[in-house]
Amino acid sequence: MICETTKKGVDCLFMSKQGCSYKDNTCKPVVEQCTGCEKAQEFAGGTYCAAYPEPALKWKTGKCNFATHIKREAKKEKVINALKASKRKAKGR
Ligand code: SF4
């Protein structure tokens, strides 16, 4: 439903006919780590995340997975073909 409180005009899962159903009936402002993210948007009451109601929780255990301003490091693991590895081991290579 479209928010009519803190982030007016944003489609939000927490908005209901009774109002905002999130904690304390409002979203929480962005945190320092959100600086530069495209999802951090200015609203009448401050800067809020367009994708998540409480940005501090997104950063609590690591990097926010919705963030647009950070690059994720791709895991480069060598894919090992188990069958080939087994044959190699059997040949003694
Ligand atoms: S998507 Fe993540 S980094 Fe971006 S504003 Fe929202 S909580 Fe902050």
Side-chain angles (χ1 to χ4, degrees):
M1 208 170 157
I2 303 299
C3 180
E4 293 168 11
T5 57
T6 311
K7 297 188 295 190
K8 280 185 180 161
V10 173
D11 195 8
C12 182
L13 292 172
F14 295 100
M15 194 66 197
S16 68
K17 287 179 183 170
Q18 288 78 38
C20 179
S21 61
Y22 195 67
K23 274 189 255 173
D24 303 326
N25 304 104
T26 182
C27 290
K28 310 295 178 222
V30 293
V31 291
E32 194 180 330
Q33 294 96 318
C34 299
T35 306
C37 180
E38 288 173 13
K39 291 181 179 159
Q41 296 177 359
E42 291 287 333
F43 292 91
T47 309
Y48 294 88
C49 175
Y52 198 72
E54 194 165 353
L57 293 181
K58 273 285 171 200
W59 287 96
K60 197 174 181 182
T61 56
K63 293 176 181 171
C64 171
N65 59 331
F66 296 146
T68 60
H69 62 310
I70 54 170
K71 287 184 180 174
R72 283 172 194 76
E73 292 167 21
K75 288 184 182 175
K76 289 185 178 178
E77 286 181 27
K78 196 174 181 182
V79 178
I80 297 170
N81 183 325
L83 186 61
K84 284 182 180 178
S86 173
K87 285 180 181 174
R88 245 182 263 129
K89 193 175 180 182
K91 286 182 181 177
R93 283 196 251 166

